[in-house]
């Protein structure tokens, strides 16, 4: 229960904390900030091996699935009795559930919660394709028992809020994703990348993330004289790895380097080494945390595919958006920012200022106020 030191908060996530995907990282960033503010934080998660954070409760076994153009995990059925016993042992003030949640774990936790526990949700996704949208609509029907228990629903962007209303029939207020601003702002460039301009891509090597479009744009650029020397650094792994390498080799893209998977510890230094960071994702993005991470470094001008989630982050500078499947338009943008150092530096400075408003130290206090309001409403105070 609440104490003078703060709230007892359960952060609920059906998947694992072992990955570097956006939602698990959101949970970790929010959780560690809340803990630094004196709140007691528990991670109520699916099958998770990491134990470097306090109060991790791995409450299910999970299986790997493909969804929304990416790999993720979902929980296998979890004993209702086990979850009820767990919730009786931990009298939480607030459950903060990452939604859409799963009927076989998170829903059962919500329904087992004490009547005095406030339940807050954050809606994170914007599905990629009709099948994913239809599946989420059906999921909303399955989740009706727990959806009625929510005291407050949030969404990380207007695009996610719109889809929450369409699929769940629930109005969500905007509470954006967060970035650890200082971590990226303080990062130093990698010395081996200091000899020329650098274009950086960081993401899963899957079709919807658009790395192929970037390589096609670079192929066009290399036909033009007068460009400054530049390097393209591809950070990430995925099923298209070999196909992209073969394309680069076939088109003599000798300035393209495949760096492979980049750890969370190394990621800030890669962003700090970039002069341009390019994210050509065409769909399935509810937000744009990678955009903010790149901006927070203060070094790179950030170009983004014009999809609803990225648009929500970049709306103040729409010229930094490009049609996500148009390699020629991306080549035009790259040419402009490679040759105009003044404009490139100006956009990097804008990005650093813009990203600061999403810092966990800015968003976190608002989230605590939402918890407290939901708790007062729940307890009729």
């Amino acid at each position: 229960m609440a104490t003078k030191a703060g709230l007892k908060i359960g952060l609920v996530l059906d998947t694992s904390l072992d990955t570097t995907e956006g939602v698990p990282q959101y949970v970790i960033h929010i959780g560690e900030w809340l803990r630094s503010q004196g709140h007691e934080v528990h991670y109520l998660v699916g099958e998770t091996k990491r134990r470097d954070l306090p109060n991790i409760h791995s409450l299910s076994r999970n299986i790997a699935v493909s969804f929304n153009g990416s790999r993720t995990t979902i929980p296998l059925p979890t004993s209702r009795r086990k979850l009820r016993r767990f919730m009786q042992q931990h009298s939480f003030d607030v459950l903060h559930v990452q939604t859409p949640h799963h009927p076989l774990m998170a829903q059962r936790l919500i329904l087992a919660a004490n009547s005095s526990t406030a339940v807050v949700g954050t809606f994170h996704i914007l599905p990629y394709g009709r099948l994913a949208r239809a599946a989420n609509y059906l999921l909303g029907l399955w989740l009706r028992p727990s959806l009625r228990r929510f005291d407050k629903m949030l969404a990380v962007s207007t695009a996610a809020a719109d889809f929450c209303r369409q699929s769940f029939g629930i109005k969500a207020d905007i509470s954006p994703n967060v970035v650890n601003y200082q971590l990226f702002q303080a990062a130093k460039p990698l010395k081996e990348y200091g000899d020329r301009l650098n274009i950086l891509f960081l993401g899963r090597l899957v079709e919807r993330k658009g790395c192929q479009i970037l390589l096609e744009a670079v192929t066009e650029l290399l036909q033009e004289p007068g460009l400054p020397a530049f390097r393209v650094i591809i950070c990430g792994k995925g099923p298209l790895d070999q196909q992209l390498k073969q394309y680069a080799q076939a088109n003599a893209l000798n300035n393209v380097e495949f760096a492979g998977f980049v750890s969370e510890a190394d990621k800030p230094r890669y962003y700090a080494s970039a002069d341009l960071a390019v994210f050509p994702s065409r769909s399935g993005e509810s937000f744009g945390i990678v955009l903010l991470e790149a901006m927070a470094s203060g070094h790179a001008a950030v170009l983004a595919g014009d999809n609803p989630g990225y648009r929500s982050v970049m709306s103040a500078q729409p010229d930094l958006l490009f049609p996500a499947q148009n390699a020629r338009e991306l080549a035009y943008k790259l040419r402009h920012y490679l040759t105009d150092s003044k404009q490139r530096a100006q956009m990097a400075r804008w990005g650093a200022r813009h990203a600061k408003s999403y810092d966990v130290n800015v968003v976190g206090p608002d989230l605590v106020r939402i918890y407290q309001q939901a708790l007062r409403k729940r307890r009729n105070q």
Side-chain angles (χ1 to χ4, degrees):
M1 302 294 287
T3 68
K4 291 182 179 179
L7 302 172
K8 184 173 182 178
I9 301 163
L11 298 177
V12 182
L13 176 70
D14 290 292
T15 58
S16 173
L17 286 179
D18 296 338
T19 75
T20 59
E21 298 295 326
V23 181
Q25 292 305 306
Y26 169 87
V27 169
I28 292 168
H29 291 330
I30 288 293
E32 292 307 281
W33 181 84
L34 288 167
R35 199 161 60 86
S36 75
Q37 302 301 301
H39 302 286
E40 182 181 341
V41 176
H42 293 252
Y43 300 94
L44 284 48
V45 297
E47 189 171 348
T48 296
K49 294 181 174 61
R50 69 184 297 169
R51 289 294 181 267
D52 56 320
L53 300 171
N55 300 327
I56 291 180
H57 307 279
S58 187
L59 298 176
S60 73
R61 293 179 57 208
N62 282 39
I63 57 171
V65 296
S66 293
F67 177 75
N68 209 34
S70 297
R71 297 286 289 174
T72 186
T73 66
I74 59 173
L76 293 170
T78 307
S79 163
R80 288 185 176 89
R81 181 179 297 178
K82 171 187 171 183
L83 295 180
R84 280 197 299 268
R85 189 163 54 245
F86 174 83
M87 294 301 286
Q88 288 168 0
Q89 292 170 352
H90 296 277
S91 189
F92 291 104
D93 296 303
V94 178
L95 286 185
H96 183 176
V97 184
Q98 314 316 306
T99 65
H101 52 291
H102 200 277
L104 300 179
M105 194 195 94
Q107 174 159 259
R108 293 179 177 182
L109 274 174
I110 294 166
L111 296 178
N114 189 293
S115 62
S116 64
T117 298
V119 180
V120 175
T122 295
F123 200 91
H124 287 274
I125 75 163
L126 186 64
Y128 171 55
R130 291 181 181 177
L131 182 60
R133 287 178 175 271
N136 272 276
Y137 176 78
L138 294 175
L139 178 62
L141 297 178
W142 195 358
L143 291 175
R144 278 184 177 176
S146 59
L147 291 174
R148 288 193 288 265
R149 180 62 177 79
F150 278 80
D151 297 288
K152 186 71 173 180
M153 184 65 78
L154 307 170
V156 295
S157 67
T158 54
D162 289 343
F163 186 68
C164 179
R165 187 178 63 254
Q166 293 164 14
S167 59
F168 284 7
I170 294 177
K171 180 183 180 297
D173 294 335
I174 307 302
S175 178
N177 218 322
V178 297
V179 63
N180 186 339
Y181 185 83
Q182 186 56 34
L183 175 68
F184 292 94
Q185 179 69 203
K188 302 299 182 185
L190 295 161
K191 292 180 180 179
E192 60 265 36
Y193 294 135
D195 59 335
R196 67 186 89 165
L197 296 176
N198 294 306
I199 298 172
L200 179 76
F201 170 93
L202 193 151
R204 285 267 298 160
L205 301 184
V206 295
E207 185 179 355
R208 76 176 179 88
K209 291 293 186 179
C211 187
Q212 177 72 35
I213 297 297
L214 172 58
L215 295 184
E216 291 172 10
V218 171
T219 303
E220 286 205 23
L221 279 179
L222 292 181
Q223 311 305 315
E224 300 185 14
L227 288 175
F230 69 94
R231 174 194 292 109
V232 181
I233 308 167
I234 307 296
C235 298
K237 64 178 183 179
L240 297 185
D241 183 68
Q242 287 305 312
Q243 178 181 317
L244 294 169
K245 289 176 179 176
Q246 289 168 5
Y247 178 90
Q249 184 176 17
N251 289 275
L253 302 184
N254 300 320
N255 63 336
V256 174
E257 173 185 321
F258 288 85
F261 174 77
V262 172
S263 70
E264 288 298 299
D266 292 335
K267 186 164 63 172
R269 297 199 69 188
Y270 274 89
Y271 283 133
S273 303
D275 299 281
L276 286 167
V278 183
F279 303 97
S281 183
R282 67 187 189 186
S283 187
E285 307 291 350
S286 63
F287 191 68
I289 190 62
V290 290
L291 312 182
L292 295 175
E293 290 173 347
M295 290 178 191
S297 75
H299 293 269
V302 175
L303 301 178
D306 191 2
N307 65 67
Y310 286 0
R311 200 180 307 133
S312 71
V313 174
M314 307 293 285
S315 59
Q317 290 289 350
D319 286 347
L320 295 173
L321 295 165
F322 60 90
Q325 298 185 66
N326 191 326
R328 180 163 295 177
E329 183 66 21
L330 175 54
Y332 172 82
K333 296 277 186 183
L334 292 172
R335 182 189 310 112
H336 172 71
Y337 286 103
L338 285 170
T339 56
D340 191 335
S341 59
K342 183 177 179 180
Q343 183 73 0
R344 189 173 66 243
Q346 182 179 336
M347 289 300 98
R349 289 192 297 271
W350 169 80
R353 293 193 303 271
H354 185 57
K356 199 166 187 178
S357 64
Y358 295 89
D359 181 42
V360 67
N361 291 295
V362 175
V363 178
D366 286 335
L367 191 58
V368 171
R369 282 192 287 273
I370 291 168
Y371 290 165
Q372 292 168 336
Q373 289 168 0
L375 194 57
R376 285 195 297 270
K377 177 184 175 183
R378 167 61 45 178
R379 297 178 181 175
N380 295 315
Q381 293 181 5

